[in-house]
Amino acid sequence: MPKLRVHGLTMSLDGYVAGADQGQDNPLGVGGGRLHEWMFATRTARRTLGLDGGEEGIDDDFVAQGDVGVGAAIMGRNMFGPIRGPWDGQQWNGWWGDDPPYHNDVFILTHHPREPVEMAGGTTFHFVTDGIERALERARESAGGKDVRLWGGAQAIQQYMRAGLLDEIDVAIVPVLLGGGERLFDRLDGRGADYECVELVSSAAVTHARLVRRG
Amino acid sequence: MPKLRVHGLTMSLDGYVAGADQGQDNPLGVGGGRLHEWMFATRTARRTLGLDGGEEGIDDDFVAQGDVGVGAAIMGRNMFGPIRGPWDGQQWNGWWGDDPPYHNDVFILTHHPREPVEMAGGTTFHFVTDGIERALERARESAGGKDVRLWGGAQAIQQYMRAGLLDEIDVAIVPVLLGGGERLFDRLDGRGADYECVELVSSAAVTHARLVRRG
């Protein structure tokens, strides 16, 4: 059975995946940029951005793992962009330019309908207004037997955890205290107990915990 | 200058140092017992309990470090015991029997006065009703040039962090999701930014992060 997986989601020591006051000029909120420095230092992330070099080792292995066996993706609307409410002809097509680093169908969870947007490089954004189960169904169809990657943000992940639909979470913990923002592991309605940690390793910069939902 | 230090404070992946519904029959709250299994497996913790054997290695090194250079201790009242409100002649002398594992003066933060209680093995519990600064002052006097160890719980640590008085925090992260309880890094009024992580290492069971307050 194909899985729904989260990879490389980065959390501060006080549990935030984004800082306070997110917006168009500050997509990760106050201090949130510090969360992803470890990732952009890796060879795999740099290659994704078309850059040479970068570090190999534990951190790079975890970043690379996120692409293996993935055929489609799901993303919350707040991660896709800073716009709230109806799309109203807005031309917002994500933070990632004309050729986003997904290269497959990405299903955006939203309350507001919009036509699909085909980008360069094989990425198409689909806007799903009929709930997280339907988004997963459509992503599975698109993935053709491969796994579906759930990118975030915190609210989308919480929804899938509460529904018992998220199979794996690879979370990276950066030892900084942001003091506010979007908390990842919150409002889980007791479903956190469904997960066990099967791998725990640290580089000098970040700790990786891989959680798997029990059979 | 002697320091105020926290050691071996154990937090779940979702940030709790104790589970929900703490009480006399369940001092660490629902699921809270799982937090300290790693510690009781170490040689140093077992020796403290008068037991042979136990594991050496990273986890043991961190536990042992907590005793080095410490001359006195501070503890919040909720960690000392489950009783709330006035002591009213209560005979509660902590969770640790006649010979508690402190072996120095322990200053308990409380709103309710009580005479000091001298235990076996060099531990005396003092009850401080005139604030965290005064408790630290008294602990420093007692420590005679050595450091003061702050045991917890979450609220006591938050108070000292907000006051800019806590120098070091060695926190252990156990990769379980408790789903509720006492959150450690919360209500910090922006003081979390004062700390930088100087060491981050994992055993298979637990990640240790050592945070130090900047100059």
Side-chain angles (χ1 to χ4, degrees):
Chain A
M1 179 74 176
K3 289 178 173 152
L4 181 63
R5 296 157 34 193
V6 169
H7 285 269
L9 189 75
T10 304
M11 178 173 95
S12 66
L13 195 57
D14 46 355
Y16 299 104
V17 292
D21 302 322
Q22 287 177 272
Q24 185 155 0
D25 296 330
N26 201 1
L28 289 164
V30 176
R34 296 171 67 193
L35 294 177
H36 299 96
E37 288 168 8
W38 72 273
M39 195 183 289
F40 292 118
T42 66
R43 189 179 182 85
T44 300
R46 288 179 61 86
R47 198 176 48 214
T48 301
L49 299 170
L51 301 170
D52 288 332
E55 294 166 17
E56 299 185 54
I58 292 173
D59 294 343
D60 189 55
D61 292 346
F62 272 86
V63 174
Q65 198 57 37
D67 294 325
V68 176
V70 168
I74 297 174
M75 186 184 291
R77 188 247 172 91
N78 292 358
M79 180 171 169
F80 179 67
I83 303 159
R84 304 290 177 262
W87 300 101
D88 278 347
Q90 294 262 12
Q91 295 305 306
W92 181 266
N93 290 332
W95 303 99
W96 310 278
D98 295 334
D99 182 4
Y102 304 109
H103 314 297
N104 53 32
D105 285 326
V106 179
F107 295 87
I108 315 281
L109 305 167
T110 172
H111 294 291
H112 304 281
R114 179 176 168 186
E115 290 301 306
V117 179
E118 193 172 335
M119 309 293 290
T123 299
T124 299
F125 295 121
H126 303 269
F127 300 86
V128 183
T129 56
D130 42 2
I132 61 167
E133 279 89 356
R134 182 66 188 133
L136 180 55
E137 226 171 74
R138 291 183 60 187
R140 280 201 208 282
E141 282 163 25
S142 166
K146 289 186 168 184
D147 290 348
V148 175
R149 180 165 177 174
L150 175 59
W151 282 90
Q155 291 179 38
I157 291 172
Q158 290 163 15
Q159 284 181 288
Y160 279 105
M161 287 180 79
R162 282 199 300 267
L165 293 171
L166 184 56
D167 298 297
E168 280 194 33
I169 310 166
D170 145 27
V171 59
I173 305 147
V174 170
V176 302
L177 297 169
L178 287 191
E182 283 287 316
R183 249 186 179 128
L184 175 59
F185 292 123
D186 213 357
R187 304 181 288 264
L188 298 182
D189 291 355
R191 300 307 288 264
D194 298 350
Y195 293 82
E196 67 179 324
C197 181
V198 296
E199 191 174 4
L200 182 72
V201 290
S202 285
S203 70
V206 62
T207 293
H208 303 273
R210 198 156 64 85
L211 308 180
V212 172
R213 194 157 54 94
R214 292 188 182 83
Chain B
M1 179 74 175
K3 289 178 173 152
L4 180 64
R5 296 157 35 192
V6 169
H7 285 269
L9 189 76
T10 304
M11 178 173 94
S12 65
L13 195 56
D14 46 355
Y16 300 104
V17 292
D21 302 324
Q22 287 177 274
Q24 186 154 359
D25 296 332
N26 200 2
L28 288 165
V30 176
R34 296 170 68 194
L35 294 177
H36 298 94
E37 288 168 8
W38 72 272
M39 195 183 290
F40 293 118
T42 65
R43 190 181 182 84
T44 299
R46 288 180 60 87
R47 197 175 49 214
T48 301
L49 299 169
L51 302 168
D52 287 334
E55 293 166 18
E56 299 184 55
I58 291 174
D59 295 342
D60 189 55
D61 292 345
F62 272 87
V63 174
Q65 199 56 37
D67 294 326
V68 175
V70 168
I74 297 173
M75 184 184 293
R77 189 247 172 92
N78 292 358
M79 178 170 170
F80 179 67
I83 303 159
R84 302 290 177 264
W87 300 100
D88 280 347
Q90 294 260 14
Q91 294 306 303
W92 180 267
N93 289 330
W95 303 98
W96 310 278
D98 295 333
D99 183 3
Y102 305 108
H103 313 298
N104 54 32
D105 286 325
V106 180
F107 296 86
I108 316 281
L109 306 167
T110 172
H111 294 291
H112 305 282
R114 180 176 168 187
E115 290 300 306
V117 180
E118 194 172 334
M119 309 293 290
T123 300
T124 298
F125 294 121
H126 303 267
F127 301 87
V128 183
T129 57
D130 42 2
I132 62 166
E133 279 89 356
R134 182 67 187 133
L136 180 55
E137 225 172 73
R138 290 183 61 188
R140 281 202 207 280
E141 282 164 23
S142 166
K146 290 186 167 183
D147 289 348
V148 175
R149 181 166 175 174
L150 174 60
W151 284 90
Q155 291 178 37
I157 290 172
Q158 289 163 15
Q159 284 181 289
Y160 279 105
M161 286 180 80
R162 282 198 299 267
L165 293 171
L166 184 56
D167 299 296
E168 280 194 34
I169 310 166
D170 144 26
V171 60
I173 304 146
V174 170
V176 301
L177 296 170
L178 287 190
E182 283 287 315
R183 244 181 185 136
L184 176 58
F185 292 123
D186 213 356
R187 302 181 290 264
L188 298 183
D189 289 354
R191 299 309 287 263
D194 298 350
Y195 293 83
E196 67 178 325
C197 181
V198 295
E199 192 175 2
L200 182 72
V201 290
S202 287
S203 69
V206 62
T207 293
H208 303 272
R210 197 155 64 85
L211 308 180
V212 171
R213 192 158 55 93
R214 292 188 182 84

